[in-house]
Amino acid sequence: MGFFDALNHLFNFLLPALGLAAIAAALSKGLWRRELAGVRWLALFQAAAVMNLVALVLGLLIQGRDGRMATYGLMLLACTAGLWWRGFGPGRRG
């Protein structure tokens, strides 16, 4: 495997986590417009992306394969927790 193949694999591994974080942050800002008026979209995205990436790596380590439905379910729960923490929880102040 060459450098660009490895880079392509890494990009495709990270894309679901980053895509879900971007979509979830945008939907959260749209659905809770008043409540999240003081929270930047980028802050929501960062919190969700970090949690998603942790869940994605954990799923890979535990199950030994990428792309399992349990990993994506864990990623959904982690994304929700990250958005709640940054948008409504203790991370809102920081």
Side-chain angles (χ1 to χ4, degrees), residues 26 37 48 55-56 79 85:
L56 199 60
C79 183
W85 181 81

Side-chain angles (χ1 to χ4, degrees), residues 40-59:
R40 295 178 305 135
W41 176 85
L42 187 60
L44 291 173
F45 170 75
Q46 287 172 341
V50 167
M51 295 295 283
N52 285 345
L53 291 173
V54 168
L56 199 60
V57 170
L58 276 176

Side-chain angles (χ1 to χ4, degrees), residues 19-68:
L20 177 62
I23 292 169
L27 288 175
S28 296
K29 285 289 281 186
L31 289 173
W32 292 285
R33 189 172 315 216
R34 288 189 190 115
E35 293 87 351
L36 296 177
V39 181
R40 295 178 305 135
W41 176 85
L42 187 60
L44 291 173
F45 170 75
Q46 287 172 341
V50 167
M51 295 295 283
N52 285 345
L53 291 173
V54 168
L56 199 60
V57 170
L58 276 176
L60 177 65
L61 293 175
I62 291 171
Q63 296 180 351
R65 268 185 72 185
D66 176 34
R68 297 277 179 126

